[in-house]
C-alpha cells in the first residue's frame, strides 16, 4: 500500500458550507489521496458553540471554540475558512498567514 504525505487542516466554520466541505473531505478521502498524493486530515474545526455543533459530525474531539488552539498548533498547516462574514474571518485569516499557515477561503465578503 502506498504511503501518502499528510496535510493537517483546520476548518473555520461548520455551517452549511463548512459541513459540506467537511463531508466532501471525508467521503472523497481515498480518491483525493490518489489524485493529489496527499492525505488531507481535518485536525480541528472552529465553531461558535461546541455542544450545538457536536451533532453535525461523528468526531466531536476535533471541535473547538478556541481560535488559539488552531493558530498556535504547528501541526496544522492550512486553514479552510468557511465562516462567512467580514471581520472575524478577516482577523483569523490574517493571523493564520502570520503564523505561517496557508489559507483557503470561500468567503465572498
Amino acid at each position: 500500500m502506498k504511503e501518502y504525505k499528510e496535510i493537517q487542516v483546520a476548518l473555520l466554520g461548520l455551517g452549511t458550507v463548512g459541513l459540506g466541505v467537511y463531508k466532501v473531505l471525508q467521503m472523497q478521502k481515498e480518491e483525493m489521496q490518489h489524485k493529489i498524493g496527499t492525505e488531507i486530515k481535518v485536525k480541528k474545526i472552529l465553531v461558535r458553540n461546541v455542544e450545538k455543533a457536536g451533532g453535525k459530525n461523528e468526531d466531536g474531539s476535533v471541535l473547538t471554540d478556541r481560535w488559539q488552539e488552531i493558530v498556535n498548533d504547528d501541526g496544522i498547516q492550512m486553514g479552510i475558512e468557511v465562516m462567512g462574514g467580514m471581520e472575524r474571518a478577516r482577523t483569523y485569516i490574517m493571523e493564520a498567514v502570520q503564523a505561517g499557515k496557508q489559507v483557503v477561503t470561500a468567503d465572498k465578503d
Side-chain angles (χ1 to χ4, degrees):
M1 184 173 175
K2 184 176 179 180
E3 193 168 313
Y4 295 98
K5 292 186 285 184
E6 180 181 274
I7 295 176
Q8 293 185 7
V9 302
L11 197 57
L12 311 182
L14 195 60
T16 302
V17 175
L19 186 57
V21 169
Y22 178 76
K23 286 180 178 179
V24 166
L25 289 173
Q26 298 308 309
M27 291 181 344
Q28 296 185 4
K29 189 174 199 165
E30 288 184 31
E31 182 179 336
M32 289 173 60
Q33 286 176 348
H34 295 296
K35 285 183 178 178
I36 64 175
T38 302
E39 178 183 350
I40 298 176
K41 179 181 180 197
V42 177
K43 186 171 182 185
K44 287 290 178 186
I45 303 174
L46 182 67
V47 296
R48 284 187 215 161
N49 184 320
V50 173
E51 276 186 37
K52 184 177 174 184
K56 291 185 178 184
N57 74 329
E58 63 277 354
D59 184 4
S61 70
V62 299
L63 299 176
T64 184
D65 58 2
R66 294 187 302 260
W67 165 242
Q68 295 305 317
E69 275 185 38
I70 293 170
V71 76
N72 292 329
D73 185 333
D74 292 334
I76 295 175
Q77 299 151 291
M78 180 184 296
I80 303 172
E81 186 274 313
V82 287
M83 297 169 28
M86 189 77 165
E87 181 39 46
R88 197 167 53 135
R90 179 186 175 284
T91 298
Y92 290 164
I93 289 169
M94 297 303 292
E95 288 179 6
V97 169
Q98 289 171 351
K101 300 181 189 317
Q102 297 178 26
V103 177
V104 176
T105 181
D107 198 329
K108 295 180 279 186
D109 288 332

